[in-house]
């Protein structure tokens, strides 16, 4: 992990949360990844992930984003 976007970690209300992080892939690229989470039986569980930028460039439909999608 390269960075957690502190300004992008937030409660969405109820037991739902959101976090955004930058991670460096084995290919050397920096991926900006969103995590949607839910508290289930006392644990924070990731319910959905999406990559919306690679090396700071927004993704378009049909790009590498399709390889990630929902968990």
């Amino acid at each position: 992990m390269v960075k957690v976007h502190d300004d992008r970690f937030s409660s969405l209300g109820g037991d739902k949360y959101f976090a955004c992080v930058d991670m460096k892939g084995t290919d050397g690229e920096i991926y900006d990844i969103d995590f949607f989470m839910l508290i289930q039986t006392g644990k924070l569980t990731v319910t959905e992930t999406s990559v919306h930028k690679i090396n700071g460039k927004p993704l378009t439909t049909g790009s590498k984003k399709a390889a990630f999608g929902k968990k």
Side-chain angles (χ1 to χ4, degrees), residues 24-52:
K24 186 173 186 176
T26 57
D27 57 4
E29 308 226 279
I30 303 296
Y31 294 88
D32 189 329
I33 306 171
D34 293 338
F35 292 90
F36 291 89
M37 299 163 282
L38 182 64
I39 294 178
Q40 296 176 323
T41 54
K43 293 182 182 178
L44 195 57
T45 303
V46 175
T47 57
E48 185 177 338
T49 59
S50 66
V51 175
H52 66 269

Side-chain angles (χ1 to χ4, degrees), residues 5-71:
H5 297 264
D6 293 332
D7 61 331
R8 297 289 183 206
F9 182 79
S10 57
S11 172
L12 300 176
D15 290 336
K16 297 177 185 177
Y17 293 86
F18 169 83
C20 182
V21 301
D22 289 343
M23 293 188 175
K24 186 173 186 176
T26 57
D27 57 4
E29 308 226 279
I30 303 296
Y31 294 88
D32 189 329
I33 306 171
D34 293 338
F35 292 90
F36 291 89
M37 299 163 282
L38 182 64
I39 294 178
Q40 296 176 323
T41 54
K43 293 182 182 178
L44 195 57
T45 303
V46 175
T47 57
E48 185 177 338
T49 59
S50 66
V51 175
H52 66 269
K53 290 182 185 175
I54 298 177
N55 295 323
K57 296 179 184 176
L59 297 179
T60 58
T61 304
S63 62
K64 285 187 180 181
K65 185 175 184 177
F68 291 87
K70 292 185 179 182
K71 179 180 175 191

